């Protein structure tokens, strides 16, 4: 019964993660480059694409937001409600971050000093890191095993949920981001500084692996998250990571980037990561799900919309490509 | 079994002196305004591009300047206030949005696909639009607009279902719920609003352009044609009023002063805009300055705000008509809650438990939180202390026990006689300067018996509902 939901959650969340990765690491690159007082083609190409990437990332996030509500409704809502204004704060943060990206790209900002532009990028980065932190915190709170934790949280009027897994998990996602963004650059700025991109991607993979290991180590019996349940996915994740590391390793050694291979390995990384993530909480799936949504109609409508929408998006990409080539 | 799922008891959030309805209303109005602007903007641009293809150069030039604003406003703020709506609806009514998701998730997923197409088409136009042929530009803008209208189409069905679920209540058939009685009038009305908002915003943008006055005037006249659908708004409005439930209609047209006032504001503001637009701009070909457009937009915002209030308000006492009350209690649960109590299973403690001088008042606070806080505060907006604090004791007991008779747009009281008494005592305690004094719990069995008799007399059903 829950299979189509889990599958769609995994796929759409993987898309969200890829785009968010581009946004997080791209913004960080622009900010760091600017703080060091300079500019380069990678920063320029990132600035150019960041607003769209964020728009797409947010749009991509809406789908998992829907499927999470189907699958883990009581848990997800409870965590949202407990974090309350601290949770709602992600919206203004996103608006500020979004307009900061547009400002950074504008003609007006081009006339500013490098420091001033770096400050704008840093502001955007701070907003996005805050949003990432918030999602992780929300997730950790939602996955508490004992509902008494929630009641105690409410009674205290606490807005934050402290959890030893949050910081390493954030490190993992930032590492993933650094491993994803270079792929985008291979398309947005072909031929520019491939070895630097390789170094960033490899560094990102290392940080991600370390963060994941620390987060797994910090996961304790208070959470319904079951790392062992994801064993199959984790093997796949390890394979995707190794493939990606090899592909970028070759670039670091001076080979021309194999764009297709890097793209395939990156997508595989996102999918297996999303799959592992779901497998770890599958045991906690609301057992009433079957009775709650078994009568839900409309799947054929969605499938048809997906086919039509996919075709429409494909058409857009084709004409965009032709226009930029011609 | 996952312990979080036994009863859908959620922690209740409170927005200080604002009631929860105000919080969602504020976000909702901004979002609806922006989202409708995005749809109308697509219609306008498609029309102008069609003209450009037939040699109207002015229209072509305008498209570029307007599209920037459309992207900045609607893609950024529109999309994000959309996310804000999701998050806010969860805050104010987790059980309601949960039910909507359970029933309509595939429709919602479909809406999401449409929205994705809208974003990609819009962005493609922004990036490469000026390098495309007129024919391709037209198709791209038409795709953008079609996708935007499609999103509205799907979401409109779900929202209209909340007020008029139609046959769905009997059959639980998705399509019976989707094609519900208020589907078409709401859709038509919203589309006309969308076109109007975009035209007004476009006239505002015309005012900022460095163009000869004659050119600006011509642009204004062309753009104003998009306001012609306003002619149909009275029809959709009356159609809507005709299909909503009787009690909702009565409430809007006099039963509640506040609601009638909002309805009046919405209708009056719309009429003013319509008169100016149709007579002045379309018929007489007058020129409208940016300042005029800004003023009209402000009026339109007021109309949108008032209209959303009316739409939200008309549903009371339900969030889903006949299925779920505003306080997240389902009609068929009331009878049981009257036996076991409304907060017996509520696992969430009071945050300010230490404040209450006796357990009865603390119970009252929990009952207030569970049953009243969706629409009232104790001492802020729509405050219980103000509304009933000055009443006599028996009057308070009677009116709370027979809540659905006190005002037809309130749900029936869904708890025990002891809970009525606890709530009444809480309001009395909060009302007086008694906060400092010791406050003895009341325990008069005769009073409880009277309350019980009142509860039984009014029955566990809503005012307009017939016993099943
Ligand atoms: C800059 C903006 C954003 C960033 C950096 C970001 C980052 C993240 C991260 C790091 C996670 C993983 C949490 C974890 O595994 O512990 C996540 C999950 C998620 N995000 Fe985003 N996100 C952003 C915006 C959004 C938006 C706007 C939406 C909704 C429209 C969204 C929807 C989701 C959903 C549904 C999940 C899965 C939650 C779950 O499975 O419990 N994200 N996001």
């Amino acid at each position: 019964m829950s299979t189509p939901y889990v599958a769609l959650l995994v796929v759409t969340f993987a898309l969200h993660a890829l785009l968010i990765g581009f946004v997080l690491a791209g913004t960080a690159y622009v900010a760091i480059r600017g703080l060091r007082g300079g500019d380069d083609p990678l920063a320029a190409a990132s600035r150019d694409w960041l607003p769209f990437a964020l728009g797409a990332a947010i749009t991509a996030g809406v789908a998992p937001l829907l499927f999470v509500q189907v699958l883990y409704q009581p848990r997800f809502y409870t965590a949202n409600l407990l974090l309350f204004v601290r949770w709602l704060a992600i919206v203004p943060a996103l608006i500020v971050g979004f307009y900061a990206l547009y400002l950074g790209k504008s003609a007006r900002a081009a006339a500013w000093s490098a420091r001033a532009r770096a400050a704008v990028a840093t502001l955007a980065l701070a907003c996005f890191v805050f949003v990432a932190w918030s999602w992780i915190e929300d997730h950790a709170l939602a996955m508490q095993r004992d509902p008494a934790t929630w009641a105690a949280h409410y009674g205290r009027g606490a807005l934050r949920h402290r959890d030893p897994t949050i910081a390493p998990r954030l490190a993992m996602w930032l590492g993933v981001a650094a491993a994803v963004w270079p792929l985008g650059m291979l398309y947005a700025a072909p031929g520019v500084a491939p070895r630097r991109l390789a170094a960033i991607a490899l560094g990102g993979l290392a940080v991600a692996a370390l963060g994941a290991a620390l987060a797994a180590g910090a996961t304790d019996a208070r959470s319904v998250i079951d790392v062992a349940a994801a064993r199959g996915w984790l093997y796949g994740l390890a394979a995707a990571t190794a493939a990606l590391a090899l592909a970028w390793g070759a670039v670091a050694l001076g080979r021309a980037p194999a764009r297709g291979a890097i793209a395939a390995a990156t997508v595989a990384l996102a999918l297996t990561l999303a799959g592992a993530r779901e497998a770890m909480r599958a045991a906690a799936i609301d057992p009433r799900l079957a009775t709650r949504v078994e009568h839900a109609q409309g799947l054929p409508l969605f499938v048809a919309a997906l086919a039509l929408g996919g075709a429409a998006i494909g058409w857009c990409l084709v004409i965009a490509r032709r226009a930029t080539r011609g | 079994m996952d312990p979080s799922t036994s009863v859908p008891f959620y922690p209740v959030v409170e927005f200080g002196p604002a009631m929860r309805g105000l919080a969602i209303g504020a976000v909702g109005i901004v979002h609806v305004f922006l989202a409708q602007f995005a749809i109308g903007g697509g219609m306008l641009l498609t029309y102008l591009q069609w003209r450009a293809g037939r040699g109207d150069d002015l229209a072509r030039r305008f498209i570029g300047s307007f599209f920037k604003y459309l992207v900045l406003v609607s893609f950024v703020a529109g999309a994000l206030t959309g996310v804000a709506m999701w998050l806010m609806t969860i805050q104010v009514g987790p059980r309601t949005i949960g039910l909507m998701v359970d029933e309509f998730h595939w429709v919602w997923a479909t809406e999401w696909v449409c929205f994705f197409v809208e974003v990609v088409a819009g962005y493609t136009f922004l990036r490469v639009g000026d390098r495309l042929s007129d024919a391709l530009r037209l198709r791209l803008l038409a795709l953008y607009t079609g996708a935007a209208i499609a999103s509205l189409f799907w979401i409109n069905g779900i929202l209209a279902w909340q007020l008029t679920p139609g046959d769905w209540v009997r059959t639980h058939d998705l399509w019976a719920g989707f094609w519900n009685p208020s589907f078409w009038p709401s859709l038509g009305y919203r589309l006309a609003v969308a076109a109007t908002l975009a035209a007004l915003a476009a006239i505002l943008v015309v005012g900022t352009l460095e163009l000869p006055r004659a050119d600006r005037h011509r642009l204004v006249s062309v753009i104003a044609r998009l306001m012609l659908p306003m002619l149909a708004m009275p029809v959709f409005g009356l159609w809507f009023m005709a299909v909503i439930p009787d009690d909702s209609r009565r409430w809007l047209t006099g039963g509640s002063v506040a609601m009638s006032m909002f309805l009046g504001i919405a209708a009056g503001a719309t009429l003013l805009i319509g008169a100016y637009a149709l007579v002045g701009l379309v018929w007489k070909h007058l020129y409208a300055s940016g300042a005029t457009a800004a003023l009209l937009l402000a009026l339109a915002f007021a109309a949108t705000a008032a209209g959303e209030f009316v739409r939200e308000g008309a549903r009371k006492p339900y969030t889903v008509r006949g299925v779920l009350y505003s306080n997240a209690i389902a009609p068929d649960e009331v009878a049981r809650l009257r036996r076991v109590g409304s907060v017996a299973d509520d696992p969430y403690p009071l945050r300010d438990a230490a404040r209450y001088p006796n357990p009865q008042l603390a119970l009252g606070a929990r009952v207030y939180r569970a049953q009243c806080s969706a629409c009232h505060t104790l001492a802020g907006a729509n405050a219980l202390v103000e509304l009933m604090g000055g009443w006599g004791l028996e009057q308070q007991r009677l009116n709370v026990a027979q809540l659905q008779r006190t005002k037809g747009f309130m749900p029936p009281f869904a708890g025990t006689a002891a809970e009525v008494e606890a709530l009444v005592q809480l309001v009395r305690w909060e009302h007086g300067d008694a906060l400092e004094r010791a406050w003895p719990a009341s325990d008069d069995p005769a009073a409880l018996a009277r309350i019980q008799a009142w509860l039984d007399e009014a029955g566990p059903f809503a005012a307009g509902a017939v016993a099943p």
Side-chain angles (χ1 to χ4, degrees), chain A residues 9 13 16-17 20-21 23-24 54 57-68 72 76 87 90 94 124 127-140 142-143 169-170 172-174 277-278 281, chain B residues 79-80 83 86-87:
Chain A
L9 177 56
F13 178 73
H16 175 59
I20 282 302
V23 170
L24 278 172
L54 180 61
I58 291 171
T59 309
V62 172
L65 180 62
L66 178 66
F67 296 120
V68 160
Y72 310 109
F76 183 67
W87 174 242
I90 69 172
L94 280 167
C127 291
F128 302 148
V129 171
F130 170 77
V131 175
W133 176 282
S134 305
W135 277 102
I136 298 169
E137 185 176 334
D138 183 79
H139 185 75
M143 289 299 123
R169 209 169 160 124
L170 179 64
M172 179 196 82
W173 283 112
L174 293 176
R277 196 170 164 278
E278 282 325 304
R281 66 175 165 184
Chain B
L80 280 168
V83 174
W86 267 115
L87 302 185

Side-chain angles (χ1 to χ4, degrees), chain A residues 5 48 59 154 295 297, chain B residues 12 103 105 112 127 174 351:
Chain A
Y5 302 111
D48 189 28
T59 309
Y154 183 84
H295 64 280
Q297 296 161 278
Chain B
V12 173
E103 292 300 318
H105 48 264
W112 171 74
R127 277 203 92 92
L174 176 84
R351 283 177 176 155

